[in-house]
Amino acid sequence: MPDLGLEVLFKGINALRLLQGLWTALRISLISVVISMPLGILLGSLMTLKNPVLKVILRVYLEFIRIMPQLVLLFIVFFGSTAAFGVNLSGELSSIIVFSLWGTAEMGDLVRGALISIPVHQYESSEALGLSKIQMYRYIIIPQTVRRLIPLSINLITRMIKTTSLVLMIGVIEVLKVAQQIIEANRMSSPNAAFGIYLTVFVLYFLACWPISMLAKYFEKKWRDA
Amino acid sequence: MDSLLQVRNLTKKFGENTILDGISLDVSQGEVVVLVGPSGCGKSTLLRCMNGLEPIQGGEILLDGQKIEKGSKELTKIRQKIGMVFQSYDLFPHLKVLDNITLAPIKVQKRDKQDAEKEARELLVRVGLEDKADSYPRELSGGQKQRVAIVRALIMQPEVMLFDEVTAALDPEMVREVLDVILQLARQGKTMVIVTHEMAFAQAIADRILFLEGGHIQEDSDPDTFFTNPKTERAKQFLQMFTFEK
């Protein structure tokens, strides 16, 4: 078996540091998820309204956020806020802002898609049965929207977790950055550590995301046609 | 006989396009009226207007003397007296058959849950679907879905039932089971307005046939007269489309 340099993991508190780095990455993504889910639901619902001005504004926001690489957004917020407004945002706060903006846009688009995918005769047959608008949304439209939305939004969460690997570029010490530090520090004693440590990072990301995507699969199967 | 449903000088436009041009008709208690006519003649639109699903540009529609109008506050109340079944299978996919049927009686009419479920099961027996109460719509065939949709409308005890081409999307072998249920309702004296392309069915079930074309009712007669001896040239041409000669 080739030398993976895994012994480096057990030097000092290296393993713990990696876990702390993972927690930083998860903390950024989870706080952003908590912020962007409700905002995305609001954004998506607003996008289905027939107000043309609102539609254009929201569309521009959505396209802007989605076209920009996340790294560029991170740079704009982190460096740009200091340069333009003299505000000194921490790397982690900048990351949360960018991920929330991005998550809101993506979630909004998912919500909009789920809402407009409900066939018009679902609305009509609810009306024909004498359901009020509120009853129609509560018992017919929202339950069906949520069923379509849950697998998609869970996938969005895993994408957000994975994308946190970019925040090391604005100085946030997350799991990948810790891995690099460990590898650098042990370059002389364990030149092979890069493979073992990055493998560990891979396993950590996998452990964080795999249960979440299993959950998405479970819901998808459970609500196949609904 | 008193007329239950009255349409007075109804005008319906889609943009500049006039679909219904001053239509008037009366449907009496217990009467079965069948609307026929070429595609695009506005028969489905007329039916949808009768349930306030379409805004109208002129005239009025009255059920029991109450106005049916899209956007009016009273509409949800009046709609409870009108049962409607659509062409597309429009069951709620996330609810079991039983819940599809009992949702409106429980939430809209505030009926007791057990009472509503008991009646739902009785109605399911009548359409031969008693074993499907706990199935989801996706587990049913098209014909079964339509029978459930009929039950879902019936449980509201509507004064009039509207059927909008309910067999048009079905496989031929499933048409019969749905039409039989509607025939059964006709025998029980239910007031119905039916839009259909099934001419044999129309002839069998109708008390009155209305032939619609160009936004007008061209012919209003009993089924025997209409099918054997239509008055207008247009109706003759329309009926010829359904006969074959070698």
Side-chain angles (χ1 to χ4, degrees):
Chain A
M1 192 171 157
D3 177 19
L4 298 181
L6 280 173
E7 73 283 354
V8 173
L9 267 185
F10 305 102
K11 266 194 199 164
I13 55 163
N14 280 350
L16 182 66
R17 285 177 60 207
L18 274 177
L19 285 176
Q20 281 168 339
L22 181 70
W23 170 236
T24 304
L26 289 178
R27 189 171 59 218
I28 291 172
S29 39
L30 292 181
I31 292 175
S32 310
V33 163
V34 168
I35 295 171
S36 50
M37 291 291 144
L39 287 180
I41 291 170
L42 183 69
L43 180 78
S45 317
L46 290 177
M47 285 176 83
T48 61
L49 297 181
K50 290 187 175 70
N51 184 327
V53 180
L54 199 62
K55 227 175 202 167
V56 170
I57 294 172
L58 297 177
R59 196 79 229 171
V60 168
Y61 167 71
L62 186 86
E63 293 301 330
F64 178 79
I65 297 285
R66 294 179 87 188
I67 288 169
M68 285 287 236
Q70 280 87 33
L71 193 55
V72 178
L73 286 173
L74 284 169
F75 283 167
I76 290 178
V77 172
F78 184 63
F79 298 115
S81 62
T82 315
F85 308 108
V87 201
N88 193 8
L89 297 178
S90 74
E92 189 168 332
L93 184 58
S94 303
S95 309
I96 289 172
I97 292 173
V98 168
F99 277 74
S100 301
L101 286 172
W102 174 50
T104 302
E106 293 281 348
M107 187 66 189
D109 204 36
L110 294 179
V111 170
R112 186 191 63 88
L115 275 174
I116 61 171
S117 73
I118 306 287
V120 66
H121 55 243
Q122 290 289 316
Y123 293 86
E124 290 187 342
S125 46
S126 317
E127 282 183 47
L129 286 169
L131 266 65
S132 67
K133 270 253 147 62
I134 293 169
Q135 288 172 329
M136 174 171 85
Y137 276 96
R138 174 155 172 215
Y139 299 114
I140 307 301
I141 306 302
I142 292 176
Q144 289 185 54
T145 311
V146 167
R147 278 165 167 74
R148 280 164 209 225
L149 212 50
I150 283 186
L152 300 172
S153 44
I154 290 176
N155 282 330
L156 176 62
I157 294 172
T158 59
R159 273 165 64 209
M160 286 171 79
I161 292 175
K162 284 184 286 189
T163 314
T164 54
S165 58
L166 292 175
V167 303
L168 68 89
M169 299 297 288
I170 56 168
V172 179
I173 314 292
E174 47 66 77
V175 60
L176 203 59
K177 185 70 192 173
V178 175
Q180 287 178 349
Q181 289 174 341
I182 293 173
I183 293 161
E184 284 301 312
N186 296 279
R187 186 167 292 282
M188 294 304 160
S189 55
S190 314
N192 284 332
F195 194 68
I197 296 296
Y198 282 137
L199 195 68
T200 312
V201 171
F202 165 81
V203 172
L204 288 178
Y205 270 121
F206 183 80
L207 289 178
C209 293
W210 187 65
I212 300 178
S213 53
M214 282 290 106
L215 198 65
K217 277 229 174 66
Y218 166 77
F219 281 121
E220 240 164 280
K221 210 172 164 189
K222 186 174 169 197
W223 293 328
R224 222 168 350 165
D225 298 323
Chain B
M1 255 197 294
D2 282 345
S3 74
L4 179 67
L5 184 72
Q6 297 172 297
V7 178
R8 292 278 160 266
N9 209 17
L10 171 67
T11 303
K12 166 74 195 168
K13 295 177 184 173
F14 286 119
E16 288 298 295
N17 221 344
T18 304
I19 305 295
L20 301 172
D21 191 6
I23 298 250
S24 296
L25 71 101
D26 284 284
V27 181
S28 312
Q29 183 79 46
E31 196 175 27
V32 178
V33 174
V34 176
L35 295 170
V36 298
S39 295
C41 71
K43 50 195 192 304
S44 284
T45 307
L46 175 56
L47 209 62
R48 291 166 56 83
C49 290
M50 289 177 181
N51 203 3
L53 288 173
E54 298 280 348
I56 59 178
Q57 279 72 44
E60 58 179 8
I61 304 168
L62 303 167
L63 179 77
D64 274 344
Q66 281 178 292
K67 211 165 171 177
I68 299 171
E69 199 174 17
K70 189 177 167 74
S72 90
K73 279 195 172 149
E74 295 296 298
L75 189 59
T76 57
K77 263 195 189 143
I78 305 171
R79 270 177 171 155
Q80 295 172 38
K81 300 186 191 171
I82 309 169
M84 186 156 185
V85 184
F86 299 83
Q87 174 182 341
S88 48
Y89 326 124
D90 57 341
L91 297 181
F92 306 128
H94 61 298
L95 299 177
K96 288 179 177 171
V97 165
L98 194 67
D99 298 323
N100 258 282
I101 300 168
T102 56
L103 179 76
I106 293 172
K107 301 299 177 192
V108 178
Q109 293 178 331
K110 311 288 176 207
R111 278 175 63 182
D112 178 59
K113 187 168 187 261
Q114 278 172 344
D115 174 50
E117 285 185 354
K118 186 165 163 276
E119 191 184 344
R121 286 184 195 279
E122 286 165 7
L123 287 168
L124 281 173
V125 172
R126 268 169 56 187
V127 299
L129 291 174
E130 58 273 29
D131 53 336
K132 298 292 184 193
D134 294 315
S135 304
Y136 280 95
R138 62 168 178 270
E139 296 160 337
L140 305 184
S141 73
Q144 291 172 332
K145 282 184 217 177
Q146 278 307 39
R147 283 184 277 162
V148 173
I150 293 171
V151 167
R152 188 176 64 176
L154 274 181
I155 198 169
M156 301 294 279
Q157 284 146 355
E159 293 179 21
V160 57
M161 287 281 287
L162 309 176
F163 292 93
D164 186 8
E165 297 190 35
V166 289
T167 58
L170 294 179
D171 290 334
E173 68 268 28
M174 288 168 185
V175 169
R176 184 76 205 209
E177 63 190 46
V178 175
L179 296 185
D180 277 341
V181 171
I182 304 176
L183 273 168
Q184 196 187 335
L185 291 176
R187 276 187 220 113
Q188 288 157 8
K190 200 85 185 158
T191 312
M192 298 192 274
V193 182
I194 301 171
V195 169
T196 186
H197 287 292
E198 306 281 339
M199 289 304 139
F201 171 67
Q203 189 165 11
I205 199 170
D207 294 318
R208 244 165 89 205
I209 302 265
L210 299 182
F211 176 67
L212 217 71
E213 210 213 355
H216 298 278
I217 295 176
Q218 304 281 357
E219 210 156 318
D220 179 348
S221 48
D222 65 278
D224 288 340
T225 316
F226 180 76
F227 284 104
T228 54
N229 192 16
K231 284 172 259 179
T232 60
E233 198 53 40
R234 285 176 167 176
K236 274 178 203 157
Q237 283 170 3
F238 173 71
L239 285 171
Q240 255 162 22
M241 295 192 306
F242 296 91
T243 54
F244 296 91
E245 283 167 38
K246 201 179 173 185

